[in-house]
Coordinates of all heavy atoms in Angstrom, one line a residue:
M1 N -28.1 -29.5 -109.6 CA -27.4 -28.2 -109.4 C -28.2 -27.1 -109.8 O -29.0 -27.2 -110.7 CB -26.1 -28.3 -110.2 CG -25.1 -29.3 -109.6 SD -23.4 -29.1 -109.9 CE -23.1 -27.5 -109.4
K2 N -28.0 -25.9 -109.2 CA -28.7 -24.7 -109.5 C -27.8 -23.5 -109.5 O -27.1 -23.4 -108.5 CB -29.9 -24.6 -108.6 CG -30.8 -23.4 -108.9 CD -32.0 -23.4 -108.0 CE -32.9 -22.2 -108.4 NZ -33.8 -22.4 -109.5
L3 N -27.9 -22.7 -110.5 CA -27.2 -21.4 -110.4 C -27.8 -20.5 -109.4 O -29.0 -20.1 -109.6 CB -27.2 -20.8 -111.8 CG -26.6 -19.4 -111.9 CD1 -25.1 -19.4 -111.5 CD2 -26.7 -18.8 -113.3
L4 N -27.1 -20.1 -108.4 CA -27.7 -19.3 -107.3 C -27.5 -17.8 -107.7 O -28.5 -17.1 -107.6 CB -26.9 -19.5 -106.0 CG -27.4 -18.7 -104.8 CD1 -28.9 -19.1 -104.5 CD2 -26.5 -18.9 -103.6
L5 N -26.3 -17.4 -108.1 CA -26.2 -16.0 -108.6 C -24.9 -15.8 -109.3 O -24.0 -16.7 -109.3 CB -26.2 -15.0 -107.4 CG -25.0 -14.9 -106.5 CD1 -25.0 -13.5 -106.0 CD2 -25.0 -15.9 -105.4
R6 N -24.8 -14.7 -110.0 CA -23.6 -14.3 -110.7 C -23.0 -13.2 -109.8 O -23.7 -12.3 -109.3 CB -23.9 -13.7 -112.1 CG -24.3 -14.8 -113.1 CD -24.7 -14.2 -114.4 NE -24.9 -15.3 -115.4 CZ -26.1 -15.8 -115.6 NH1 -27.1 -15.5 -114.8 NH2 -26.2 -16.8 -116.4
C7 N -21.7 -13.2 -109.6 CA -21.0 -12.3 -108.7 C -20.3 -11.2 -109.5 O -20.0 -11.4 -110.7 CB -20.1 -13.0 -107.8 SG -20.9 -14.3 -106.8
D8 N -20.0 -10.1 -108.8 CA -19.2 -9.0 -109.5 C -17.8 -9.4 -109.8 O -17.2 -9.0 -110.8 CB -19.2 -7.8 -108.6 CG -20.6 -7.2 -108.4 OD1 -21.5 -7.5 -109.3 OD2 -20.9 -6.6 -107.4
H9 N -17.2 -10.2 -108.9 CA -15.8 -10.6 -109.1 C -15.5 -11.9 -108.4 O -16.3 -12.3 -107.5 CB -14.8 -9.5 -108.7 CG -15.2 -8.9 -107.4 ND1 -14.8 -9.5 -106.2 CD2 -15.8 -7.8 -107.1 CE1 -15.2 -8.8 -105.2 NE2 -15.8 -7.7 -105.7
A10 N -14.4 -12.5 -108.7 CA -14.1 -13.9 -108.1 C -13.9 -13.8 -106.6 O -14.3 -14.8 -105.9 CB -12.8 -14.4 -108.7
L11 N -13.4 -12.7 -106.0 CA -13.3 -12.6 -104.6 C -14.6 -12.6 -103.9 O -14.8 -13.3 -102.9 CB -12.5 -11.3 -104.3 CG -12.1 -11.2 -102.8 CD1 -11.1 -12.3 -102.4 CD2 -11.4 -9.8 -102.6
Q12 N -15.6 -11.9 -104.4 CA -16.9 -11.9 -103.9 C -17.5 -13.3 -103.9 O -18.1 -13.8 -103.0 CB -17.8 -10.9 -104.6 CG -19.2 -10.9 -104.1 CD -20.1 -10.0 -105.0 OE1 -20.2 -10.3 -106.2 NE2 -20.8 -9.1 -104.4
A13 N -17.3 -14.0 -105.1 CA -17.8 -15.4 -105.2 C -17.2 -16.3 -104.2 O -17.9 -17.1 -103.5 CB -17.5 -15.9 -106.6
A14 N -15.9 -16.2 -103.9 CA -15.2 -17.0 -102.9 C -15.7 -16.7 -101.5 O -15.9 -17.6 -100.7 CB -13.7 -16.8 -103.0
H15 N -15.9 -15.4 -101.2 CA -16.5 -15.0 -99.9 C -17.8 -15.6 -99.7 O -18.1 -16.2 -98.6 CB -16.5 -13.5 -99.9 CG -17.1 -12.9 -98.6 ND1 -16.7 -13.2 -97.4 CD2 -18.2 -12.1 -98.5 CE1 -17.4 -12.6 -96.5 NE2 -18.4 -11.9 -97.1
F16 N -18.7 -15.5 -100.7 CA -20.1 -16.1 -100.5 C -20.0 -17.6 -100.4 O -20.7 -18.2 -99.6 CB -20.9 -15.7 -101.7 CG -21.4 -14.2 -101.8 CD1 -21.9 -13.7 -102.9 CD2 -21.2 -13.4 -100.6 CE1 -22.3 -12.3 -103.0 CE2 -21.6 -12.1 -100.7 CZ -22.1 -11.6 -101.8
A17 N -19.1 -18.2 -101.2 CA -19.0 -19.7 -101.1 C -18.5 -20.1 -99.7 O -19.0 -21.1 -99.2 CB -18.1 -20.2 -102.2
N18 N -17.6 -19.4 -99.2 CA -17.1 -19.7 -97.8 C -18.2 -19.6 -96.8 O -18.3 -20.4 -95.9 CB -15.9 -18.8 -97.4 CG -14.7 -19.2 -98.2 OD1 -14.5 -20.3 -98.6 ND2 -13.8 -18.2 -98.3
A19 N -19.0 -18.5 -96.9 CA -20.1 -18.3 -96.0 C -21.1 -19.4 -96.1 O -21.6 -19.9 -95.1 CB -20.8 -16.9 -96.2
L20 N -21.5 -19.8 -97.3 CA -22.4 -20.9 -97.5 C -21.9 -22.2 -96.9 O -22.6 -23.0 -96.3 CB -22.8 -21.0 -99.0 CG -23.6 -19.9 -99.6 CD1 -23.7 -20.1 -101.1 CD2 -24.9 -19.7 -98.9
A21 N -20.6 -22.5 -97.2 CA -20.0 -23.7 -96.7 C -20.0 -23.8 -95.2 O -20.2 -24.8 -94.6 CB -18.5 -23.8 -97.3
A22 N -19.7 -22.6 -94.6 CA -19.7 -22.6 -93.1 C -21.1 -22.9 -92.6 O -21.2 -23.4 -91.4 CB -19.3 -21.2 -92.6
A23 N -22.1 -22.6 -93.3 CA -23.5 -22.9 -92.9 C -23.9 -24.3 -93.3 O -25.1 -24.7 -93.2 CB -24.5 -21.9 -93.5
G24 N -23.0 -25.1 -93.9 CA -23.3 -26.4 -94.3 C -24.0 -26.5 -95.7 O -24.5 -27.6 -96.0
I25 N -24.0 -25.5 -96.4 CA -24.6 -25.5 -97.8 C -23.5 -25.7 -98.8 O -22.6 -25.0 -98.9 CB -25.3 -24.1 -98.0 CG1 -26.4 -23.9 -97.0 CG2 -25.8 -24.1 -99.5 CD1 -27.1 -22.6 -97.1
R26 N -23.6 -26.8 -99.5 CA -22.6 -27.2 -100.5 C -22.8 -26.4 -101.8 O -23.9 -26.3 -102.3 CB -22.7 -28.7 -100.8 CG -22.4 -29.5 -99.5 CD -22.5 -31.0 -99.8 NE -23.7 -31.4 -100.4 CZ -23.8 -32.3 -101.4 NH1 -22.7 -32.9 -101.9 NH2 -25.0 -32.5 -102.0
C27 N -21.7 -25.8 -102.2 CA -21.8 -25.0 -103.4 C -20.5 -25.1 -104.2 O -19.5 -25.6 -103.7 CB -22.1 -23.6 -103.1 SG -20.9 -22.8 -102.0
E28 N -20.5 -24.5 -105.3 CA -19.3 -24.5 -106.2 C -19.2 -23.2 -106.9 O -20.2 -22.6 -107.4 CB -19.6 -25.6 -107.2 CG -18.4 -26.1 -108.0 CD -18.8 -27.3 -108.8 OE1 -18.9 -28.4 -108.3 OE2 -18.9 -27.1 -110.1
V29 N -18.0 -22.6 -107.0 CA -17.8 -21.4 -107.8 C -17.3 -21.8 -109.2 O -16.4 -22.6 -109.3 CB -16.7 -20.5 -107.1 CG1 -16.4 -19.3 -108.0 CG2 -17.2 -20.1 -105.7
R30 N -17.9 -21.2 -110.2 CA -17.5 -21.5 -111.6 C -17.3 -20.2 -112.3 O -17.7 -19.1 -111.9 CB -18.6 -22.2 -112.3 CG -18.9 -23.6 -111.8 CD -19.9 -24.3 -112.6 NE -20.2 -25.6 -112.2 CZ -21.2 -26.4 -112.7 NH1 -21.9 -25.9 -113.7 NH2 -21.4 -27.6 -112.2
N31 N -16.6 -20.3 -113.4 CA -16.4 -19.1 -114.3 C -15.5 -18.0 -113.7 O -15.8 -16.8 -113.8 CB -17.8 -18.5 -114.6 CG -18.1 -18.3 -116.1 OD1 -17.4 -19.0 -116.9 ND2 -19.0 -17.5 -116.4
T32 N -14.5 -18.4 -113.1 CA -13.6 -17.4 -112.4 C -12.5 -16.8 -113.3 O -11.8 -15.9 -112.9 CB -13.0 -18.0 -111.1 OG1 -12.2 -19.1 -111.5 CG2 -14.0 -18.3 -110.1
T33 N -12.4 -17.4 -114.5 CA -11.2 -16.9 -115.3 C -11.6 -16.2 -116.6 O -10.7 -16.0 -117.5 CB -10.4 -18.2 -115.7 OG1 -11.2 -19.1 -116.4 CG2 -9.8 -18.8 -114.5
L34 N -12.9 -15.9 -116.8 CA -13.3 -15.3 -118.0 C -13.3 -13.7 -118.0 O -13.7 -13.1 -119.0 CB -14.7 -15.8 -118.5 CG -14.7 -17.2 -118.9 CD1 -16.1 -17.7 -119.2 CD2 -13.8 -17.4 -120.2
A35 N -12.9 -13.1 -116.9 CA -13.0 -11.6 -116.8 C -12.3 -11.0 -117.9 O -12.7 -9.9 -118.4 CB -12.5 -11.2 -115.4
G36 N -11.2 -11.5 -118.4 CA -10.4 -10.9 -119.4 C -11.1 -10.9 -120.8 O -10.7 -10.3 -121.7
A37 N -12.2 -11.7 -120.9 CA -12.9 -11.8 -122.2 C -14.1 -10.9 -122.2 O -14.8 -10.8 -123.2 CB -13.4 -13.2 -122.4
I38 N -14.3 -10.0 -121.2 CA -15.4 -9.1 -121.2 C -15.2 -8.2 -122.4 O -14.1 -7.6 -122.6 CB -15.5 -8.3 -119.9 CG1 -15.9 -9.2 -118.7 CG2 -16.4 -7.1 -120.0 CD1 -15.9 -8.6 -117.4
G39 N -16.2 -8.0 -123.1 CA -16.1 -7.2 -124.4 C -16.3 -8.1 -125.6 O -17.0 -7.8 -126.5
D40 N -15.5 -9.2 -125.5 CA -15.7 -10.2 -126.6 C -16.8 -11.2 -126.3 O -17.5 -11.6 -127.2 CB -14.4 -11.1 -126.7 CG -13.2 -10.2 -127.1 OD1 -13.4 -9.2 -127.9 OD2 -12.1 -10.5 -126.6
I41 N -17.1 -11.4 -125.0 CA -18.2 -12.3 -124.5 C -19.1 -11.4 -123.7 O -18.5 -10.6 -122.9 CB -17.6 -13.5 -123.7 CG1 -16.6 -14.3 -124.6 CG2 -18.7 -14.3 -123.2 CD1 -15.9 -15.4 -123.8
P42 N -20.4 -11.5 -123.8 CA -21.3 -10.7 -122.9 C -20.9 -10.8 -121.4 O -20.5 -11.9 -121.0 CB -22.6 -11.3 -123.2 CG -22.5 -12.0 -124.5 CD -21.1 -12.4 -124.6
W43 N -21.0 -9.7 -120.7 CA -20.6 -9.7 -119.3 C -21.3 -10.8 -118.5 O -20.6 -11.4 -117.7 CB -21.0 -8.3 -118.7 CG -20.7 -8.3 -117.2 CD1 -19.5 -8.0 -116.7 CD2 -21.6 -8.6 -116.1 NE1 -19.6 -8.1 -115.3 CE2 -20.8 -8.5 -114.9 CE3 -22.9 -9.0 -116.0 CZ2 -21.4 -8.7 -113.7 CZ3 -23.4 -9.3 -114.8 CH2 -22.7 -9.1 -113.6
L44 N -22.6 -11.1 -118.7 CA -23.2 -12.1 -117.9 C -22.6 -13.5 -118.1 O -22.6 -14.3 -117.2 CB -24.7 -12.2 -118.3 CG -25.7 -11.2 -117.6 CD1 -27.1 -11.5 -118.0 CD2 -25.5 -11.4 -116.1
E45 N -22.0 -13.7 -119.2 CA -21.4 -15.0 -119.5 C -20.0 -15.1 -118.9 O -19.4 -16.1 -118.7 CB -21.3 -15.3 -121.0 CG -22.6 -15.3 -121.7 CD -23.6 -16.2 -121.0 OE1 -23.3 -17.4 -120.7 OE2 -24.8 -15.8 -120.9
C46 N -19.4 -13.9 -118.5 CA -18.1 -13.8 -118.0 C -18.1 -13.8 -116.5 O -17.0 -14.1 -115.8 CB -17.3 -12.6 -118.5 SG -17.1 -12.6 -120.3
A47 N -19.2 -13.4 -115.9 CA -19.2 -13.2 -114.4 C -19.0 -14.5 -113.7 O -19.5 -15.6 -114.1 CB -20.5 -12.6 -114.0
P48 N -18.3 -14.5 -112.6 CA -18.1 -15.7 -111.7 C -19.5 -16.1 -111.2 O -20.4 -15.3 -110.9 CB -17.3 -15.2 -110.5 CG -16.6 -14.0 -111.0 CD -17.5 -13.4 -112.0
Q49 N -19.7 -17.4 -111.2 CA -21.0 -18.0 -110.8 C -20.9 -18.8 -109.6 O -20.0 -19.5 -109.4 CB -21.6 -18.8 -112.0 CG -21.7 -18.1 -113.3 CD -22.0 -19.0 -114.4 OE1 -21.8 -20.2 -114.3 NE2 -22.5 -18.4 -115.5
L50 N -22.0 -18.7 -108.8 CA -22.1 -19.5 -107.6 C -23.2 -20.6 -107.8 O -24.4 -20.2 -108.0 CB -22.4 -18.6 -106.4 CG -22.2 -19.2 -105.0 CD1 -20.8 -19.8 -104.8 CD2 -22.5 -18.1 -103.9
W51 N -22.9 -21.8 -107.7 CA -23.8 -22.9 -108.0 C -24.1 -23.7 -106.7 O -23.1 -24.0 -106.0 CB -23.3 -23.9 -109.0 CG -23.3 -23.3 -110.4 CD1 -22.4 -22.4 -111.0 CD2 -24.3 -23.6 -111.4 NE1 -22.8 -22.1 -112.3 CE2 -23.9 -22.9 -112.6 CE3 -25.4 -24.4 -111.5 CZ2 -24.6 -22.9 -113.8 CZ3 -26.1 -24.5 -112.7 CH2 -25.7 -23.7 -113.8
L52 N -25.3 -24.0 -106.5 CA -25.7 -24.9 -105.3 C -25.6 -26.3 -105.8 O -26.1 -26.6 -106.9 CB -27.1 -24.6 -104.8 CG -27.3 -23.2 -104.2 CD1 -28.8 -23.0 -103.9 CD2 -26.4 -23.1 -102.9
L53 N -25.1 -27.2 -105.0 CA -25.1 -28.6 -105.4 C -26.4 -29.3 -105.2 O -26.8 -30.2 -105.9 CB -24.0 -29.4 -104.6 CG -22.6 -28.9 -104.8 CD1 -21.6 -29.9 -104.1 CD2 -22.2 -28.7 -106.2
D54 N -27.2 -28.7 -104.2 CA -28.5 -29.2 -103.9 C -29.5 -28.1 -104.1 O -29.5 -27.1 -103.3 CB -28.6 -29.8 -102.5 CG -29.9 -30.4 -102.2 OD1 -30.9 -30.2 -102.9 OD2 -30.0 -31.2 -101.2
D55 N -30.4 -28.2 -105.1 CA -31.4 -27.2 -105.3 C -32.3 -26.8 -104.1 O -32.7 -25.7 -104.0 CB -32.4 -27.6 -106.4 CG -31.7 -27.9 -107.8 OD1 -30.5 -27.9 -107.8 OD2 -32.5 -28.0 -108.8
L56 N -32.4 -27.8 -103.2 CA -33.3 -27.6 -102.0 C -32.7 -26.6 -101.0 O -33.3 -26.1 -100.1 CB -33.6 -28.9 -101.3 CG -34.4 -29.9 -102.2 CD1 -34.5 -31.2 -101.4 CD2 -35.7 -29.3 -102.6
D57 N -31.4 -26.3 -101.2 CA -30.7 -25.3 -100.3 C -31.0 -23.9 -100.8 O -30.5 -22.9 -100.1 CB -29.2 -25.6 -100.3 CG -28.8 -26.8 -99.5 OD1 -29.6 -27.1 -98.6 OD2 -27.8 -27.4 -99.8
E58 N -31.7 -23.6 -101.9 CA -31.8 -22.3 -102.4 C -32.3 -21.3 -101.4 O -31.8 -20.2 -101.3 CB -32.6 -22.3 -103.7 CG -32.7 -20.9 -104.3 CD -33.5 -20.8 -105.6 OE1 -34.1 -21.8 -106.0 OE2 -33.5 -19.7 -106.2
Y59 N -33.5 -21.6 -100.8 CA -34.1 -20.6 -99.9 C -33.1 -20.2 -98.8 O -32.9 -19.0 -98.5 CB -35.4 -21.2 -99.3 CG -36.1 -20.2 -98.4 CD1 -36.8 -19.1 -98.9 CD2 -35.9 -20.3 -97.0 CE1 -37.4 -18.2 -98.0 CE2 -36.5 -19.4 -96.2 CZ -37.3 -18.4 -96.7 OH -37.9 -17.5 -95.8
R60 N -32.5 -21.2 -98.1 CA -31.6 -20.9 -97.0 C -30.4 -20.2 -97.5 O -29.9 -19.3 -96.8 CB -31.2 -22.3 -96.4 CG -30.9 -22.2 -94.9 CD -30.9 -23.6 -94.3 NE -30.0 -24.6 -94.9 CZ -28.8 -24.9 -94.5 NH1 -28.3 -24.3 -93.4 NH2 -28.1 -25.8 -95.1
A61 N -29.9 -20.5 -98.7 CA -28.7 -19.8 -99.2 C -29.0 -18.4 -99.5 O -28.3 -17.5 -99.2 CB -28.3 -20.5 -100.5
R62 N -30.2 -18.1 -100.1 CA -30.6 -16.7 -100.4 C -30.8 -15.9 -99.1 O -30.4 -14.7 -99.0 CB -31.8 -16.6 -101.3 CG -31.6 -17.2 -102.7 CD -32.6 -16.8 -103.7 NE -32.4 -17.4 -105.0 CZ -31.5 -17.0 -105.8 NH1 -30.8 -15.9 -105.6 NH2 -31.3 -17.6 -107.0
E63 N -31.4 -16.5 -98.1 CA -31.5 -15.8 -96.8 C -30.2 -15.5 -96.2 O -29.9 -14.4 -95.7 CB -32.3 -16.7 -95.8 CG -33.8 -16.8 -96.1 CD -34.5 -15.6 -95.8 OE1 -34.5 -15.1 -94.6 OE2 -35.1 -15.0 -96.7
L64 N -29.3 -16.4 -96.3 CA -27.9 -16.2 -95.7 C -27.2 -15.1 -96.4 O -26.6 -14.2 -95.8 CB -27.1 -17.5 -95.8 CG -25.9 -17.6 -94.9 CD1 -25.6 -19.0 -94.5 CD2 -24.7 -17.1 -95.7
L65 N -27.3 -15.1 -97.8 CA -26.6 -14.1 -98.5 C -27.2 -12.7 -98.3 O -26.6 -11.7 -98.3 CB -26.5 -14.4 -100.0 CG -25.6 -15.7 -100.3 CD1 -25.6 -15.9 -101.8 CD2 -24.3 -15.5 -99.7
N66 N -28.5 -12.7 -98.2 CA -29.2 -11.4 -97.9 C -28.7 -10.8 -96.5 O -28.5 -9.6 -96.4 CB -30.7 -11.6 -97.8 CG -31.4 -11.7 -99.2 OD1 -30.8 -11.3 -100.2 ND2 -32.6 -12.2 -99.3
D67 N -28.6 -11.7 -95.5 CA -28.1 -11.2 -94.2 C -26.7 -10.7 -94.4 O -26.3 -9.7 -93.8 CB -28.1 -12.4 -93.2 CG -29.5 -12.7 -92.7 OD1 -30.4 -11.9 -93.0 OD2 -29.7 -13.8 -92.1
L68 N -25.9 -11.4 -95.2 CA -24.5 -11.1 -95.4 C -24.3 -9.7 -96.0 O -23.3 -9.0 -95.8 CB -23.8 -12.2 -96.2 CG -22.3 -12.4 -96.1 CD1 -21.9 -12.7 -94.7 CD2 -21.9 -13.5 -97.0
T69 N -25.2 -9.4 -96.9 CA -25.0 -8.2 -97.7 C -25.9 -7.0 -97.3 O -25.8 -5.9 -97.9 CB -25.3 -8.5 -99.2 OG1 -26.6 -9.0 -99.3 CG2 -24.3 -9.4 -99.8
R70 N -26.7 -7.2 -96.2 CA -27.6 -6.2 -95.7 C -26.7 -5.0 -95.2 O -25.8 -5.2 -94.5 CB -28.5 -6.7 -94.6 CG -29.4 -5.7 -94.1 CD -30.4 -6.2 -93.1 NE -31.2 -7.3 -93.7 CZ -31.3 -8.5 -93.2 NH1 -30.7 -8.9 -92.1 NH2 -32.1 -9.4 -93.8
Q71 N -27.1 -3.8 -95.6 CA -26.4 -2.6 -95.1 C -26.8 -2.4 -93.6 O -27.9 -2.6 -93.3 CB -26.8 -1.4 -95.9 CG -26.4 -1.4 -97.3 CD -24.9 -1.3 -97.5 OE1 -24.3 -0.5 -96.7 NE2 -24.3 -2.0 -98.4
V72 N -25.8 -2.1 -92.8 CA -26.1 -1.8 -91.4 C -26.4 -0.3 -91.3 O -25.6 0.5 -91.7 CB -24.9 -2.2 -90.5 CG1 -25.1 -1.8 -89.1 CG2 -24.5 -3.6 -90.7
A73 N -27.6 -0.1 -90.7 CA -28.0 1.3 -90.6 C -27.6 1.8 -89.2 O -27.3 1.1 -88.3 CB -29.5 1.4 -90.8
G74 N -27.7 3.1 -89.1 CA -27.4 3.7 -87.8 C -26.3 4.7 -87.9 O -25.6 4.8 -88.9
P75 N -26.1 5.5 -86.8 CA -25.1 6.5 -86.8 C -23.7 5.9 -86.6 O -23.6 4.8 -86.1 CB -25.5 7.4 -85.7 CG -26.2 6.5 -84.7 CD -26.9 5.5 -85.6
P76 N -22.7 6.7 -87.0 CA -21.3 6.2 -86.6 C -21.2 6.2 -85.1 O -22.0 6.9 -84.4 CB -20.4 7.3 -87.2 CG -21.3 8.2 -88.0 CD -22.7 7.9 -87.7
W77 N -20.2 5.5 -84.6 CA -20.0 5.5 -83.1 C -18.6 5.8 -82.8 O -17.7 5.7 -83.7 CB -20.4 4.1 -82.5 CG -19.7 2.9 -83.1 CD1 -20.0 2.3 -84.3 CD2 -18.6 2.3 -82.5 NE1 -19.1 1.3 -84.5 CE2 -18.2 1.2 -83.4 CE3 -17.9 2.4 -81.3 CZ2 -17.2 0.3 -83.1 CZ3 -16.8 1.5 -81.1 CH2 -16.5 0.5 -82.0
R78 N -18.3 6.3 -81.6 CA -17.0 6.7 -81.2 C -16.4 5.7 -80.2 O -17.1 5.3 -79.2 CB -17.0 8.1 -80.6 CG -15.6 8.7 -80.4 CD -15.7 10.2 -80.2 NE -16.2 10.9 -81.3 CZ -15.5 11.2 -82.4 NH1 -14.2 10.9 -82.6 NH2 -16.1 12.0 -83.4
C79 N -15.2 5.3 -80.5 CA -14.5 4.3 -79.6 C -14.2 5.0 -78.2 O -13.7 6.1 -78.2 CB -13.2 3.9 -80.2 SG -12.2 2.8 -79.2
T80 N -14.6 4.3 -77.2 CA -14.5 4.8 -75.8 C -13.0 4.7 -75.3 O -12.6 5.4 -74.4 CB -15.4 4.1 -74.8 OG1 -15.1 2.7 -74.9 CG2 -16.8 4.4 -75.1
S81 N -12.2 3.9 -76.1 CA -10.8 3.7 -75.6 C -9.9 4.7 -76.3 O -9.1 5.4 -75.6 CB -10.4 2.3 -76.0 OG -9.1 2.1 -75.7
C82 N -10.0 4.9 -77.6 CA -9.1 5.8 -78.3 C -9.7 7.1 -78.9 O -9.0 7.9 -79.5 CB -8.3 5.1 -79.3 SG -9.2 4.6 -80.8
G83 N -11.1 7.1 -79.0 CA -11.7 8.2 -79.5 C -12.0 8.2 -81.0 O -12.5 9.1 -81.6
E84 N -11.5 7.1 -81.7 CA -11.7 7.0 -83.2 C -13.2 7.0 -83.5 O -14.0 6.3 -82.8 CB -11.0 5.8 -83.7 CG -11.1 5.6 -85.1 CD -10.2 6.6 -85.9 OE1 -9.3 7.2 -85.3 OE2 -10.5 6.7 -87.1
Q85 N -13.6 7.6 -84.6 CA -15.0 7.5 -85.0 C -15.1 6.4 -86.0 O -14.3 6.3 -87.0 CB -15.5 8.8 -85.7 CG -16.9 8.7 -86.2 CD -17.5 10.1 -86.5 OE1 -17.4 11.0 -85.7 NE2 -18.1 10.2 -87.7
L86 N -16.1 5.5 -85.9 CA -16.3 4.3 -86.7 C -17.6 4.2 -87.3 O -18.6 4.7 -86.8 CB -16.0 3.1 -85.8 CG -14.6 3.1 -85.2 CD1 -14.5 2.7 -83.8 CD2 -13.6 2.3 -86.1
E87 N -17.7 3.6 -88.5 CA -19.0 3.4 -89.2 C -19.8 2.3 -88.4 O -19.2 1.5 -87.7 CB -18.7 2.9 -90.6 CG -18.0 4.0 -91.5 CD -18.8 5.3 -91.5 OE1 -20.0 5.2 -91.8 OE2 -18.2 6.4 -91.3
P88 N -21.1 2.3 -88.6 CA -22.0 1.5 -87.8 C -21.8 0.0 -88.0 O -22.1 -0.8 -87.1 CB -23.4 1.9 -88.2 CG -23.2 2.6 -89.5 CD -21.9 3.2 -89.5
Q89 N -21.3 -0.4 -89.1 CA -21.1 -1.9 -89.4 C -20.0 -2.5 -88.6 O -19.9 -3.8 -88.6 CB -21.0 -2.1 -90.9 CG -19.7 -1.7 -91.5 CD -19.7 -0.3 -92.1 OE1 -20.5 0.6 -91.6 NE2 -18.9 0.0 -93.1
F90 N -19.1 -1.7 -88.0 CA -18.0 -2.3 -87.3 C -18.3 -2.6 -85.8 O -18.9 -1.8 -85.1 CB -16.8 -1.4 -87.4 CG -16.3 -1.2 -88.8 CD1 -16.4 0.0 -89.4 CD2 -15.8 -2.3 -89.5 CE1 -16.0 0.2 -90.7 CE2 -15.4 -2.1 -90.8 CZ -15.5 -0.9 -91.4
G91 N -18.0 -3.8 -85.4 CA -18.3 -4.2 -84.0 C -17.1 -4.0 -83.1 O -17.2 -4.2 -81.9
A92 N -16.0 -3.6 -83.6 CA -14.8 -3.3 -82.8 C -14.0 -2.1 -83.5 O -14.2 -1.9 -84.7 CB -13.9 -4.5 -82.7
C93 N -13.2 -1.5 -82.7 CA -12.4 -0.4 -83.3 C -11.3 -0.9 -84.1 O -10.6 -1.8 -83.7 CB -11.9 0.4 -82.1 SG -10.8 1.8 -82.6
W94 N -11.2 -0.4 -85.3 CA -10.1 -0.8 -86.2 C -8.7 -0.4 -85.7 O -7.7 -1.0 -86.0 CB -10.4 -0.4 -87.7 CG -10.2 1.1 -87.8 CD1 -11.2 2.0 -87.8 CD2 -9.0 1.9 -88.0 NE1 -10.7 3.3 -87.9 CE2 -9.4 3.2 -88.1 CE3 -7.7 1.5 -88.2 CZ2 -8.4 4.2 -88.3 CZ3 -6.7 2.5 -88.4 CH2 -7.1 3.9 -88.4
K95 N -8.7 0.7 -85.0 CA -7.5 1.3 -84.6 C -6.9 0.7 -83.3 O -5.7 0.4 -83.3 CB -7.7 2.8 -84.3 CG -6.4 3.6 -84.2 CD -6.8 5.1 -84.1 CE -5.6 6.0 -83.9 NZ -5.9 7.4 -83.7
C96 N -7.7 0.4 -82.3 CA -7.2 -0.1 -81.1 C -7.7 -1.5 -80.7 O -7.2 -2.1 -79.8 CB -7.4 0.9 -79.9 SG -9.1 1.0 -79.3
G97 N -8.8 -1.9 -81.4 CA -9.3 -3.3 -81.2 C -10.4 -3.3 -80.1 O -10.9 -4.4 -79.8
A98 N -10.7 -2.2 -79.5 CA -11.7 -2.2 -78.4 C -13.0 -2.6 -78.9 O -13.4 -2.1 -80.0 CB -11.7 -0.8 -77.7
P99 N -13.8 -3.4 -78.2 CA -15.2 -3.7 -78.7 C -16.1 -2.5 -78.7 O -15.9 -1.6 -77.8 CB -15.6 -4.8 -77.8 CG -14.8 -4.7 -76.6 CD -13.5 -4.0 -77.0
R100 N -17.1 -2.6 -79.5 CA -18.1 -1.5 -79.5 C -18.9 -1.6 -78.2 O -19.4 -2.7 -77.9 CB -19.1 -1.7 -80.7 CG -20.1 -0.7 -80.9 CD -21.0 -0.9 -82.1 NE -21.9 0.2 -82.3 CZ -22.6 0.4 -83.4 NH1 -22.4 -0.5 -84.4 NH2 -23.4 1.4 -83.5
P101 N -19.2 -0.5 -77.6 CA -20.0 -0.5 -76.4 C -21.4 -0.9 -76.7 O -21.9 -0.6 -77.8 CB -19.9 0.9 -75.8 CG -19.0 1.7 -76.8 CD -18.7 0.9 -77.9
A102 N -22.0 -1.6 -75.8 CA -23.4 -2.1 -76.0 C -24.4 -1.0 -76.1 O -24.2 0.1 -75.6 CB -23.8 -3.1 -74.9
Ligands
ZN201 ZN1 -10.2 2.6 -80.5

């Protein structure tokens, strides 16, 4: 087993664990209940942790999480269906559901 990373919160840890599991990388989330002890216990010891069951998955797991957290660059785009302005990371309009034009 290998500690892959410490997360900001349990929801982020669960999201990353789901993404890794979907890619066939076995992992485990630990330390999800110590947030209330921050201050009494150092933050690093309280943060939710993502552990790989197989150390050999580390490179692939880091690549996948890098892709997952990479900021999408580019200008906002406007929905051709309803006119809503949307941030570049969205592939469909949040308001009407129309897909982003190619
Ligand atoms: Zn729209």
Side-chain angles (χ1 to χ4, degrees):
M1 294 207 47
K2 181 174 183 83
L3 174 61
L4 181 65
L5 80 149
R6 291 179 172 86
C7 298
D8 295 335
H9 47 79
L11 189 61
Q12 181 188 49
H15 175 56
F16 288 165
N18 285 338
L20 293 175
I25 298 172
R26 296 179 310 137
C27 60
E28 194 173 287
V29 175
R30 294 182 180 176
N31 230 21
T32 57
T33 58
L34 288 177
I38 290 176
D40 296 326
I41 300 174
W43 177 84
L44 273 183
E45 301 306 317
C46 298
Q49 301 170 345
L50 194 55
W51 287 78
L52 294 175
L53 299 191
D54 184 345
D55 298 12
L56 297 177
D57 286 331
E58 182 179 4
Y59 180 79
R60 208 161 58 96
R62 290 197 185 282
E63 286 290 302
L64 194 150
L65 293 184
N66 282 342
D67 287 347
L68 202 61
T69 56
R70 182 176 300 127
Q71 294 290 324
V72 177
W77 59 281
R78 189 163 299 279
C79 176
T80 53
S81 176
C82 72
E84 184 71 19
Q85 181 167 311
L86 298 136
E87 295 301 315
Q89 69 269 29
F90 297 112
C93 176
W94 67 266
K95 193 173 179 185
C96 73
R100 182 180 186 163

